[in-house]
């Protein structure tokens, strides 16, 4: 009979543990060579197949990860489409992962263990860091994807230093609209058909829509101007104050910042008035429980009557709170008095990228193509309410599907001024510092001028210390 | 000489034993080398570089250190963290000692109270944060709802710069179960005979507590104070979850700023420098605490 002594057991366990650690620390297998660098010119004829398509019977695992969680609900429908099945039949085994962004995603990319394709957020950081493939050789070889099929600003938004690092997908299109709750507005005696067009008028609406109890506690309010898209500065969704006040905050040619522009000071003063009226402490409290400052639930819970959001607001509200969605009416965002009558829109969104160090990245472009198909776009639109940047698809969207959506569809044609995404390497720093300094202003710890001067100084220091000042413009 | 000769001639069996010993300790030693020593040494190197995680680090000497005194954020977080450590370390120790003292009396249901007081320290911090968020929130919190229901104005516990740190302090004091258990064990070790002798000598309750309990517990008070102090400098989870460093940077403690630099601003080199500065601060302050032990810590064996 076999007997195992204590020593043998310890020996075995220890060997296994040591072996396991060594195996875990072993260098990665050599990566398959990624697709060749982009050809100088577009090929005369597109090849019948994508670059490096897998052989029919060998299964190639392609990791397709995204940072959103809500897209998880789409997976069964994705897998049931003929196009997805065709990809699998051609030899791809697709691992679809959601909720893979944040620090974990960033660390995976930095450590050389990214997925093959997808959207982990921080795309510009990855592009700057040289972690993404130039997609143009794949686009040039594709019969299904071409730059012309997308809204121009959406396409241009995925470009860094002349390299196209992604293809618009999942959630793109337009980002600016003032969404109003018709029920609350009519209850306050306001005319939903005559919405505010300037910030002064919006402030009066805010005053009329705000309710305090006898002890001065906030019960309901009109608009937190820094909520949702209103709070976006140099992030992926643009820079709303700069667009509204028509400021050029960053000169891409010289790398100079213009954050203490007097128009910025005026803008911060205007927004601060809302905070002083509503109470900064009240809004801080709402922010922490209602998801305010992100893409807020305070509108859905009918605590906030108006919110500045993108085209997704009608669909997402419809999915999350249909009884509130039925009151949703969208219109142009307010402007400062000197721009009364201007109608602005921003085209931006999320590119799908291919990670250079992905194990099977050279096989992953079919997923980028699949994301542009009607079948995929339909699922995402119907399940979540998101739209792609594909012009043909958006042209055929039924604007009555979600209350308020028709405004966005029209706005993409009717705008008087269009803006794109700010492409600045240190934009997270810029946004974070703006959030801190605007609070100094509305809490009267600094004047708006002092706050913007401090912001400019901090950003210039960061620009220099992070090395960008010496490296700008990027080669 | 004989020893040296023996060392030079290790038998085959001796080698086998040496190897076996190394093998048995390898899970720990490899873990230490890979997951402690290597990150420690590499963080020292990265602190001398400009490193954004994505591109190779660029050596910049001591710039990450020399720039810190002029860094507004660094000075703000240093001030906020000094406040936090200065209040939270003694407050945590005092509340744990007070709870332990109360539980050391002969009260009915003592074990139940013990479990109740210990419970918060085994609850994950994010759960603690959610619970307190819904207690303290200015608009929807249970405490403020009650205040409003009886006609009072809400208290902006976590929403106002003046209240945010004291509110976090309150939560911190509530979560002192682990220190409390250590104190309780120490209190139960104090010889009854000392109290009896003091009582015979006419000492009252306060005098017994001050002259017997405190001195005999002082080594454990010191231990808990050092741990609270080190933990105070590293405080991250609660302020991150409850206030994200706000309002108006009033809870922007050192570790939050370090994290922001590392993962939001992608300034890993600067973050590593901040970590080493933190290490030096903690060592220095801990050294001062150790220096002070001669004045107030009573060691029976001495």
């Amino acid at each position: 009979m076999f007997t195992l002594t204590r020593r043998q057991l310890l020996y075995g366990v220890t060997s296994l543990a040591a072996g396991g650690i060594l195996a875990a620390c072993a260098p990665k297998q050599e990566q398959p060579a990624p697709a060749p660098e982009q050809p100088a010119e577009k090929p005369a004829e597109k090849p019948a197949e994508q670059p490096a398509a897998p052989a029919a019977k060998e299964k190639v695992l392609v990791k397709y990860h995204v940072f959103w969680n809500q897209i998880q609900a789409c997976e069964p429908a994705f897998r049931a489409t003929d196009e997805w099945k065709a990809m699998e039949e051609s030899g791809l085994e697709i691992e679809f992962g959601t909720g893979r962004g944040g620090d974990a995603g960033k660390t995976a990319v930095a450590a050389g263990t990214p997925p093959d394709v997808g959207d982990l957020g921080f795309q510009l950081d990855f592009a700057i860091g040289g972690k993404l493939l130039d997609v143009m050789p794949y686009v040039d070889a594709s019969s299904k994807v071409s730059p012309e099929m997308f809204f121009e600003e959406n396409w241009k938004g995925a470009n860094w230093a002349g390299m196209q690092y992604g293809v618009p997908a999942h959630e793109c299109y337009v980002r600016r609209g003032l969404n109003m709750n018709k029920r609350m507005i009519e209850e306050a005696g306001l005319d939903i058909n005559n919405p505010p067009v300037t910030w002064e008028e919006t402030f009066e609406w805010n005053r009329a829509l705000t309710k305090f109890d006898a002890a001065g506690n906030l019960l309901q309010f009109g608009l937190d101007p820094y909520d949702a898209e209103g709070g976006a500065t140099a992030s992926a969704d643009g820079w709303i104050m700069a667009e509204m006040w028509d400021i050029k905050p960053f000169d891409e040619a010289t790398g100079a910042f213009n954050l203490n522009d007097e128009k910025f000071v005026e803008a911060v003063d205007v927004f601060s008035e809302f905070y002083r009226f509503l109470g900064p402490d009240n809004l801080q409290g709402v922010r922490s429980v209602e998801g305010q400052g992100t893409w807020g639930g305070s509108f859905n819970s009918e605590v906030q009557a108006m919110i500045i959001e993108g085209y997704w607001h009608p669909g997402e509200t419809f999915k999350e709170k249909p009884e509130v969605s039925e009151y949703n009416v969208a219109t142009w965002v307010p402007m400062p008095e000197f721009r009364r009558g201007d109608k602005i829109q921003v085209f931006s969104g999320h590119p799908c990228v291919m990670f250079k160090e992905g194990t099977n990245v050279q096989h992953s472009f079919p997923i980028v193509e699949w994301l542009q198909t009607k079948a995929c776009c339909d699922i995402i639109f119907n399940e979540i309410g998101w739209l792609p940047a594909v012009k043909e698809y958006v042209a055929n969207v039924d604007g009555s599907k979600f209350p308020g959506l028709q405004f966005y569809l029209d706005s993409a044609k009717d705008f008087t001024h269009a803006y794109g995404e700010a492409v600045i390497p240190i934009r997270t720093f810029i946004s974070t510092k703006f959030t801190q300094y605007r609070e100094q202003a509305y809490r009267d710890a600094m004047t708006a001028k002092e706050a913007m001067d401090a912001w400019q100084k901090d950003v210039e220091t960061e620009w220099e210390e992070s090395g960008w000042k010496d490296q700008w413009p990027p080669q | 000489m004989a020893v040296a000769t023996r060392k030079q001639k290790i038998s085959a069996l001796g080698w086998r034993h040496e190897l076996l010993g190394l093998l048995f300790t390898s899970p720990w030693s490899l873990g230490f080398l890979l997951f402690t020593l290597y990150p420690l040494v590499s963080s020292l190197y990265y602190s001398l570089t400009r490193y954004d995680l994505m591109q190779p680090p660029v050596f910049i000497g001591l710039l990450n250190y020399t720039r810190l005194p002029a860094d507004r954020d660094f000075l703000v977080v240093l001030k906020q963290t000094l406040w936090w450590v200065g209040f939270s370390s003694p407050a945590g120790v005092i509340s744990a000692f007070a709870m332990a003292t109360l539980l050391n009396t002969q009260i009915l249901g003592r074990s139940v109270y013990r479990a109740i007081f210990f419970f918060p320290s085994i609850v994950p911090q994010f759960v603690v944060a959610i619970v307190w968020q819904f207690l303290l929130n200015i608009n929807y919190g249970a405490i403020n709802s009650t205040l409003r229901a009886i006609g009072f104005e809400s208290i902006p516990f976590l929403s106002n710069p003046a209240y945010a740190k004291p509110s976090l302090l309150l939560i911190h004091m509530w979560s002192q179960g682990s220190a409390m258990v250590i104190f309780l064990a120490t209190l139960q070790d104090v010889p009854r005979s000392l109290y009896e002798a003091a009582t015979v000598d006419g000492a009252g309750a306060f005098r017994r507590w001050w002259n017997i309990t405190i001195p005999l517990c002082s080594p454990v008070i010191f231990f808990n104070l050092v741990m609270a102090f080190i933990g105070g400098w590293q405080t991250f989870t609660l302020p991150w979850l409850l206030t994200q460093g706000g309002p108006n940077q009033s809870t922007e403690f050192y570790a939050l700023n370090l994290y922001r630099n590392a993962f939001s601003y992608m300034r890993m080199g600067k973050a590593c420098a901040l970590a080493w500065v933190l290490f030096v601060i903690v060592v220095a302050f801990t050294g001062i605490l150790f220096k002070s032990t001669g004045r107030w810590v009573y060691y029976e064996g001495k």
Side-chain angles (χ1 to χ4, degrees):
Chain A
M1 188 183 160
F2 176 75
T3 55
L4 187 68
T5 65
R6 188 165 150 265
R7 173 168 292 221
Q8 283 170 324
L9 176 72
L10 283 171
Y11 190 88
V13 169
T14 312
S15 305
L16 273 174
I21 289 169
L22 287 172
C25 298
K28 262 178 67 174
Q29 278 189 324
E30 201 172 308
Q31 299 289 326
E37 286 301 307
Q38 58 175 320
E41 287 181 19
K42 192 165 178 161
E45 283 183 24
K46 290 183 176 180
E49 296 219 340
Q50 289 303 311
K57 285 187 180 172
E58 92 190 49
K59 281 280 179 191
V60 174
L61 176 67
V62 170
K63 293 183 178 176
Y64 160 39
H65 292 176
V66 295
F67 70 89
W68 297 283
N69 283 310
Q70 62 265 57
I71 208 166
Q72 176 71 51
C74 300
E75 187 176 359
F78 281 172
R79 290 189 183 279
T81 59
D82 291 340
E83 291 87 347
W84 186 289
K85 286 176 186 162
M87 285 194 289
E88 289 182 325
E89 280 161 14
S90 75
L92 294 187
E93 183 187 342
I94 303 166
E95 178 191 286
F96 179 52
T98 56
R100 304 295 178 94
D103 297 340
K106 218 182 263 186
T107 314
V109 176
T113 55
D116 299 299
V117 65
D119 187 344
L120 305 182
F122 317 109
Q123 313 285 48
L124 181 60
D125 295 323
F126 297 149
I128 292 168
K131 299 290 180 183
L132 305 180
L133 279 184
D134 184 344
V135 295
M136 282 316 289
Y138 293 89
V139 172
D140 287 343
S142 171
S143 59
K144 296 169 185 166
V145 174
S146 68
E148 297 74 35
M149 66 191 275
F150 301 101
F151 291 103
E152 191 186 351
E153 289 289 352
N154 285 140
W155 177 261
K156 276 161 51 183
N159 196 289
W160 166 253
M163 184 187 94
Q164 187 70 23
Y165 63 80
V167 175
H170 300 106
E171 190 283 294
C172 300
Y173 202 40
V174 295
R175 339 291 288 176
R176 295 290 180 265
L178 179 69
N179 290 272
M180 304 171 288
N181 183 312
K182 189 179 171 188
R183 184 194 65 74
M184 293 168 79
I185 280 161
E186 288 178 348
E187 190 183 277
L190 301 166
D191 180 7
I192 190 79
N193 297 312
N194 191 18
V197 295
T198 65
W199 279 103
E200 288 79 1
E201 291 169 11
T202 310
F203 186 79
E204 291 311 313
W205 274 48
N206 174 55
R207 191 192 294 276
L209 285 160
T210 300
K211 292 178 185 172
F212 295 97
D213 69 10
N217 299 298
L218 184 69
L219 301 175
Q220 176 192 302
F221 60 102
L223 175 73
D224 171 357
Y226 286 130
D227 190 20
E229 289 295 290
T233 55
S235 67
D237 284 334
W239 206 327
I240 195 166
M241 276 186 167
E243 299 145 14
M244 287 171 171
W245 268 262
D246 205 22
I247 310 160
K248 195 176 180 190
F250 177 67
D251 185 339
E252 288 186 24
T254 62
F257 289 91
N258 179 31
L259 307 176
N260 52 354
D261 188 293
E262 60 184 35
K263 286 182 185 170
F264 256 130
V265 175
E266 182 191 318
V268 168
D269 264 334
V270 167
F271 280 25
S272 293
E273 277 308 305
F274 283 73
Y275 268 68
R276 291 187 191 110
F277 175 70
L278 298 170
D281 294 350
N282 284 323
L283 287 176
Q284 179 86 17
V286 176
R287 195 169 280 269
S288 58
V289 291
E290 296 278 16
Q292 196 108 343
T294 53
W295 284 267
S298 55
F299 184 89
N300 288 8
S301 58
E302 297 194 294
V303 171
Q304 182 173 220
M306 300 185 286
I307 190 168
I308 296 170
E309 285 230 64
Y311 79 86
W312 59 84
H313 175 86
E316 287 189 359
T317 309
F318 183 84
K319 293 288 168 187
E320 291 161 11
K321 212 70 186 293
E323 65 273 30
V324 175
S325 162
E326 69 178 282
Y327 300 122
N328 191 56
V329 175
T331 186
W332 298 101
V333 289
M335 302 297 289
E337 185 60 45
F338 74 90
R339 292 194 72 189
R340 180 185 277 272
D342 281 0
K343 296 166 179 173
I344 64 166
Q345 195 48 277
V346 171
F347 289 80
S348 184
H350 301 267
C352 185
V353 300
M354 297 163 72
F355 292 95
K356 237 179 214 174
E357 294 174 294
T359 312
N360 288 314
V361 62
Q362 75 275 30
H363 299 298
S364 65
F365 196 70
I367 292 170
V368 180
E369 292 180 320
W370 168 80
L371 281 163
Q372 316 306 334
T373 61
K374 184 174 183 308
C376 171
C377 295
D378 273 347
I379 294 166
I380 294 177
F381 178 58
N382 292 326
E383 285 286 336
I384 313 174
W386 294 348
L387 286 172
V390 181
K391 285 187 278 191
E392 189 186 346
Y393 182 83
V394 176
N396 292 304
V397 162
D398 174 10
S400 65
K401 189 173 175 71
F402 307 126
L405 179 63
Q406 189 60 49
F407 160 76
Y408 289 96
L409 299 174
D410 295 338
S411 77
K413 300 186 281 273
D414 299 342
F415 61 82
T416 58
H417 298 76
Y419 298 86
E421 186 179 334
V423 181
I424 311 173
I426 58 165
R427 56 193 186 169
T428 310
F429 179 86
I430 297 172
S431 298
T432 307
K433 297 314 290 181
F434 176 68
T435 308
Q436 290 169 357
Y437 283 119
R438 77 188 190 198
E439 188 173 6
Q440 298 271 354
Y442 65 67
R443 285 188 184 274
D444 296 318
M446 281 182 175
T447 64
K449 171 75 178 140
E450 287 167 348
M452 296 300 97
D453 281 344
W455 186 30
Q456 168 83 9
K457 186 169 174 281
D458 280 5
V459 169
E460 282 177 344
T461 306
E462 181 72 9
W463 187 244
E464 187 178 346
E465 290 184 0
S466 58
W468 280 108
K469 193 177 177 183
D470 300 331
Q471 294 172 35
W472 199 264
Q475 301 304 316
Chain B
M1 193 65 193
V3 173
T5 310
R6 202 163 57 237
K7 268 196 173 173
Q8 282 164 5
K9 290 182 181 177
I10 298 175
S11 65
L13 186 67
W15 274 116
R16 206 168 150 236
H17 283 167
E18 290 273 338
L19 209 62
L20 212 57
L22 285 172
L23 204 59
F24 282 157
T25 57
S26 63
W28 182 88
S29 47
L30 280 176
F32 172 76
L33 290 172
L34 290 171
F35 302 120
T36 304
L37 193 65
Y38 170 69
L40 210 66
V41 174
S42 56
S43 78
L44 188 60
Y45 165 69
Y46 287 132
S47 76
L48 305 173
T49 67
R50 189 172 66 225
Y51 180 39
D52 68 358
L53 277 178
M54 300 294 156
Q55 299 171 92
V58 178
F59 186 80
I60 55 168
L62 292 171
L63 270 181
N64 284 326
Y65 293 94
T66 54
R67 282 167 175 165
L68 285 180
D71 184 336
R72 180 190 165 273
D73 270 354
F74 178 71
L75 300 176
V76 167
V77 301
L78 208 57
K79 187 179 144 202
Q80 305 294 14
T81 315
L82 273 171
W83 187 102
W84 175 252
V85 172
F87 283 95
S88 72
S89 308
V93 170
I94 289 167
S95 67
F97 194 67
M99 283 191 284
T101 307
L102 286 173
L103 290 177
N104 198 37
T105 55
Q106 297 299 322
I107 51 167
L108 192 66
R110 189 164 65 158
S111 54
V112 176
Y113 287 120
R114 213 177 282 177
I116 290 170
F117 283 128
F118 186 66
F119 187 68
S121 61
I122 56 167
V123 175
Q125 290 253 296
F126 70 90
V127 178
V128 170
I130 290 168
V131 168
W132 281 96
Q133 181 67 266
F134 281 90
L135 280 173
L136 300 182
N137 183 271
I138 183 173
N139 307 98
Y140 308 103
I143 295 173
N144 280 318
S145 296
T146 310
L147 287 174
R148 275 203 300 273
I150 54 176
F152 286 99
E153 203 175 332
S154 300
I155 300 169
F157 292 107
L158 298 168
S159 309
N160 187 290
Y163 290 81
K165 276 199 297 284
S167 301
L168 289 179
L169 192 61
L170 180 81
I171 302 168
H172 173 73
M173 289 167 70
W174 175 77
S175 315
Q176 292 301 316
S178 300
M180 182 206 73
V181 168
I182 297 171
F183 277 132
L184 194 55
T186 312
L187 285 169
Q188 287 171 352
D189 257 3
V190 177
R192 297 287 105 194
S193 57
L194 292 177
Y195 289 119
E196 286 161 9
T199 307
V200 169
D201 288 344
F206 177 75
R207 181 60 63 187
R208 290 199 299 274
W209 180 77
W210 184 253
N211 284 34
I212 298 172
T213 311
I214 295 285
L216 289 182
C217 290
S218 61
V220 177
I221 292 174
F222 174 68
F223 167 77
N224 278 333
L225 193 63
V226 169
M227 298 311 285
F229 179 80
I230 295 170
W233 277 100
Q234 297 171 345
T235 298
F236 178 81
T237 314
L238 270 184
W240 184 253
L241 293 173
L242 283 169
T243 58
Q244 294 233 315
N248 216 6
Q249 287 193 283
S250 60
T251 59
E252 182 83 7
F253 300 138
Y254 201 100
L256 269 72
N257 185 251
L258 195 155
Y259 171 80
R260 262 191 233 285
N261 272 288
F263 291 101
S264 295
Y265 307 156
M266 312 280 272
R267 295 282 303 276
M268 195 53 83
K270 184 180 174 186
C272 289
L274 283 168
W276 278 96
V277 170
L278 176 63
F279 174 74
V280 171
I281 292 172
V282 170
V283 167
F285 274 77
T286 310
I288 294 169
L289 273 180
F290 268 93
K291 271 271 184 203
S292 74
T293 55
R295 294 169 185 269
W296 63 279
V297 180
Y298 169 74
Y299 290 109
E300 225 174 337
K302 276 191 178 175

